[in-house]
Amino acid sequence: MYALYYAPGSASMLAHLLLLEIGAPHKLRRVDLDAGGQRDPEYLKLNPGGVVPTLIVDGAPVCETAAITLLLTERHPEARLAPPPGAPDRGKFLQWVLFLANGLQPAFRGWFYPEAEAPELDTIKANFRKRIEAAFTRLDAHLAAHGPYILGAEPGAVDLYATMLMRWSRNMPRPATGWPHLAALAASIKARPSWQRLYAIEGLTEWA
């Protein structure tokens, strides 16, 4: 039994989607970010970074979205959400997970919270918008050449990750759906039962 500390619509969406796709028994423990629940001393014992998600695995906490993704896909190969270690596409899978984790996801933090970066908010936001749109352009071109999913013909964890991040762009001047192949990927993932169940469980409505 897993336990997932989450906040609706946050980076914990990916871990929640993976658990639903896998069908693994799990408990949800909501962290109220508006009330500062991420800074509660008991939560900080689990996740010293004070962020979500945190996944309890065999009684021990695991943090970081990418780490949770890799761990769950390795523990549940039967779900076929990632190429197994040693498979020909394993390197591509790792490449795209880390691209999303190290390139696109941090750029969204800069877009949403520019005051954490520097006082020149407009300039900072513009720079992060360029990074986000450059990443979307790269992903769209990759899908055009190798899609319809990031690793080819079948959907997997990296597509769930990308779609979570695309959702975060929904109120930007040019959301991810402004790229045709990204729009098609998003529509496919959003039609999956796991996405619809997550929306019902987390009470989300935007970008349904």
mmCIF file of all heavy atoms in Angstrom, residues 132-134 136-138 140 174-184:
data_model
loop_
_atom_site.group_PDB
_atom_site.id
_atom_site.type_symbol
_atom_site.label_atom_id
_atom_site.label_comp_id
_atom_site.label_asym_id
_atom_site.label_seq_id
_atom_site.Cartn_x
_atom_site.Cartn_y
_atom_site.Cartn_z
ATOM 1 N N ILE A 132 9.896 27.868 -21.806
ATOM 2 C CA ILE A 132 8.757 26.948 -21.887
ATOM 3 C C ILE A 132 8.357 26.723 -23.336
ATOM 4 O O ILE A 132 8.161 25.575 -23.774
ATOM 5 C CB ILE A 132 7.573 27.504 -21.070
ATOM 6 C CG1 ILE A 132 7.907 27.459 -19.570
ATOM 7 C CG2 ILE A 132 6.289 26.724 -21.355
ATOM 8 C CD1 ILE A 132 6.967 28.269 -18.699
ATOM 9 N N GLU A 133 8.248 27.793 -24.103
ATOM 10 C CA GLU A 133 7.820 27.655 -25.493
ATOM 11 C C GLU A 133 8.870 26.941 -26.331
ATOM 12 O O GLU A 133 8.533 26.186 -27.256
ATOM 13 C CB GLU A 133 7.481 29.027 -26.068
ATOM 14 C CG GLU A 133 6.230 29.629 -25.427
ATOM 15 C CD GLU A 133 5.804 30.952 -26.042
ATOM 16 O OE1 GLU A 133 6.540 31.465 -26.923
ATOM 17 O OE2 GLU A 133 4.746 31.481 -25.645
ATOM 18 N N ALA A 134 10.146 27.141 -26.013
ATOM 19 C CA ALA A 134 11.195 26.407 -26.726
ATOM 20 C C ALA A 134 11.088 24.913 -26.442
ATOM 21 O O ALA A 134 11.264 24.075 -27.347
ATOM 22 C CB ALA A 134 12.570 26.931 -26.321
ATOM 23 N N PHE A 136 8.318 23.317 -25.611
ATOM 24 C CA PHE A 136 7.128 22.839 -26.313
ATOM 25 C C PHE A 136 7.404 22.665 -27.806
ATOM 26 O O PHE A 136 6.932 21.706 -28.424
ATOM 27 C CB PHE A 136 5.962 23.797 -26.097
ATOM 28 C CG PHE A 136 5.309 23.697 -24.745
ATOM 29 C CD1 PHE A 136 4.611 24.775 -24.221
ATOM 30 C CD2 PHE A 136 5.375 22.537 -23.989
ATOM 31 C CE1 PHE A 136 3.991 24.691 -22.985
ATOM 32 C CE2 PHE A 136 4.765 22.443 -22.750
ATOM 33 C CZ PHE A 136 4.064 23.536 -22.244
ATOM 34 N N THR A 137 8.157 23.584 -28.373
ATOM 35 C CA THR A 137 8.501 23.472 -29.791
ATOM 36 C C THR A 137 9.322 22.213 -30.050
ATOM 37 O O THR A 137 9.094 21.487 -31.026
ATOM 38 C CB THR A 137 9.282 24.723 -30.250
ATOM 39 O OG1 THR A 137 8.431 25.874 -30.110
ATOM 40 C CG2 THR A 137 9.723 24.599 -31.698
ATOM 41 N N ARG A 138 10.267 21.935 -29.153
ATOM 42 C CA ARG A 138 11.087 20.729 -29.307
ATOM 43 C C ARG A 138 10.229 19.472 -29.181
ATOM 44 O O ARG A 138 10.360 18.532 -29.983
ATOM 45 C CB ARG A 138 12.191 20.725 -28.252
ATOM 46 C CG ARG A 138 13.055 19.474 -28.289
ATOM 47 C CD ARG A 138 14.174 19.535 -27.277
ATOM 48 N NE ARG A 138 14.864 18.249 -27.170
ATOM 49 C CZ ARG A 138 15.855 18.006 -26.326
ATOM 50 N NH1 ARG A 138 16.295 18.946 -25.521
ATOM 51 N NH2 ARG A 138 16.417 16.809 -26.287
ATOM 52 N N ASP A 140 6.992 19.181 -29.692
ATOM 53 C CA ASP A 140 6.068 19.081 -30.823
ATOM 54 C C ASP A 140 6.778 18.535 -32.057
ATOM 55 O O ASP A 140 6.238 17.678 -32.774
ATOM 56 C CB ASP A 140 5.457 20.459 -31.116
ATOM 57 C CG ASP A 140 4.275 20.377 -32.060
ATOM 58 O OD1 ASP A 140 3.204 19.918 -31.633
ATOM 59 O OD2 ASP A 140 4.431 20.762 -33.240
ATOM 60 N N ARG A 174 0.464 31.634 -24.854
ATOM 61 C CA ARG A 174 0.386 30.561 -25.831
ATOM 62 C C ARG A 174 0.444 29.231 -25.090
ATOM 63 O O ARG A 174 1.522 28.737 -24.776
ATOM 64 C CB ARG A 174 1.520 30.637 -26.858
ATOM 65 C CG ARG A 174 1.350 29.623 -28.000
ATOM 66 C CD ARG A 174 2.495 29.659 -28.990
ATOM 67 N NE ARG A 174 2.280 28.676 -30.053
ATOM 68 C CZ ARG A 174 3.207 28.334 -30.964
ATOM 69 N NH1 ARG A 174 4.399 28.918 -30.950
ATOM 70 N NH2 ARG A 174 2.925 27.429 -31.885
ATOM 71 N N PRO A 175 -0.698 28.638 -24.784
ATOM 72 C CA PRO A 175 -0.695 27.359 -24.081
ATOM 73 C C PRO A 175 -0.165 26.241 -24.964
ATOM 74 O O PRO A 175 -0.046 26.397 -26.195
ATOM 75 C CB PRO A 175 -2.174 27.141 -23.734
ATOM 76 C CG PRO A 175 -2.915 27.929 -24.756
ATOM 77 C CD PRO A 175 -2.058 29.115 -25.078
ATOM 78 N N ALA A 176 0.120 25.122 -24.351
ATOM 79 C CA ALA A 176 0.710 23.996 -25.075
ATOM 80 C C ALA A 176 -0.163 23.539 -26.229
ATOM 81 O O ALA A 176 0.346 23.037 -27.242
ATOM 82 C CB ALA A 176 0.958 22.836 -24.116
ATOM 83 N N THR A 177 -1.464 23.686 -26.091
ATOM 84 C CA THR A 177 -2.369 23.244 -27.153
ATOM 85 C C THR A 177 -2.255 24.101 -28.411
ATOM 86 O O THR A 177 -2.897 23.799 -29.419
ATOM 87 C CB THR A 177 -3.819 23.245 -26.651
ATOM 88 O OG1 THR A 177 -4.097 24.486 -25.989
ATOM 89 C CG2 THR A 177 -4.049 22.093 -25.680
ATOM 90 N N GLY A 178 -1.435 25.142 -28.368
ATOM 91 C CA GLY A 178 -1.155 25.920 -29.568
ATOM 92 C C GLY A 178 -0.211 25.217 -30.526
ATOM 93 O O GLY A 178 -0.011 25.683 -31.651
ATOM 94 N N TRP A 179 0.381 24.094 -30.089
ATOM 95 C CA TRP A 179 1.212 23.257 -30.944
ATOM 96 C C TRP A 179 0.383 22.022 -31.322
ATOM 97 O O TRP A 179 -0.133 21.325 -30.432
ATOM 98 C CB TRP A 179 2.482 22.831 -30.214
ATOM 99 C CG TRP A 179 3.535 23.891 -30.068
ATOM 100 C CD1 TRP A 179 4.657 24.051 -30.832
ATOM 101 C CD2 TRP A 179 3.591 24.932 -29.075
ATOM 102 N NE1 TRP A 179 5.400 25.120 -30.390
ATOM 103 C CE2 TRP A 179 4.773 25.690 -29.310
ATOM 104 C CE3 TRP A 179 2.750 25.320 -28.015
ATOM 105 C CZ2 TRP A 179 5.134 26.788 -28.541
ATOM 106 C CZ3 TRP A 179 3.110 26.420 -27.244
ATOM 107 C CH2 TRP A 179 4.286 27.131 -27.505
ATOM 108 N N PRO A 180 0.226 21.736 -32.584
ATOM 109 C CA PRO A 180 -0.750 20.714 -32.989
ATOM 110 C C PRO A 180 -0.486 19.323 -32.447
ATOM 111 O O PRO A 180 -1.420 18.622 -32.031
ATOM 112 C CB PRO A 180 -0.681 20.743 -34.517
ATOM 113 C CG PRO A 180 0.632 21.370 -34.852
ATOM 114 C CD PRO A 180 0.877 22.365 -33.754
ATOM 115 N N HIS A 181 0.758 18.894 -32.441
ATOM 116 C CA HIS A 181 1.042 17.534 -31.980
ATOM 117 C C HIS A 181 0.962 17.426 -30.457
ATOM 118 O O HIS A 181 0.576 16.379 -29.930
ATOM 119 C CB HIS A 181 2.394 17.073 -32.512
ATOM 120 C CG HIS A 181 2.461 17.079 -34.007
ATOM 121 N ND1 HIS A 181 1.868 16.111 -34.777
ATOM 122 C CD2 HIS A 181 3.007 17.973 -34.882
ATOM 123 C CE1 HIS A 181 2.054 16.382 -36.064
ATOM 124 N NE2 HIS A 181 2.743 17.501 -36.141
ATOM 125 N N LEU A 182 1.283 18.513 -29.770
ATOM 126 C CA LEU A 182 1.072 18.532 -28.326
ATOM 127 C C LEU A 182 -0.416 18.512 -28.002
ATOM 128 O O LEU A 182 -0.847 17.847 -27.049
ATOM 129 C CB LEU A 182 1.725 19.772 -27.705
ATOM 130 C CG LEU A 182 3.257 19.813 -27.685
ATOM 131 C CD1 LEU A 182 3.727 21.120 -27.050
ATOM 132 C CD2 LEU A 182 3.827 18.631 -26.931
ATOM 133 N N ALA A 183 -1.199 19.236 -28.781
ATOM 134 C CA ALA A 183 -2.648 19.245 -28.559
ATOM 135 C C ALA A 183 -3.220 17.839 -28.733
ATOM 136 O O ALA A 183 -4.084 17.402 -27.950
ATOM 137 C CB ALA A 183 -3.322 20.224 -29.523
ATOM 138 N N ALA A 184 -2.747 17.121 -29.732
ATOM 139 C CA ALA A 184 -3.231 15.757 -29.956
ATOM 140 C C ALA A 184 -2.821 14.835 -28.813
ATOM 141 O O ALA A 184 -3.612 13.996 -28.362
ATOM 142 C CB ALA A 184 -2.697 15.235 -31.286
#
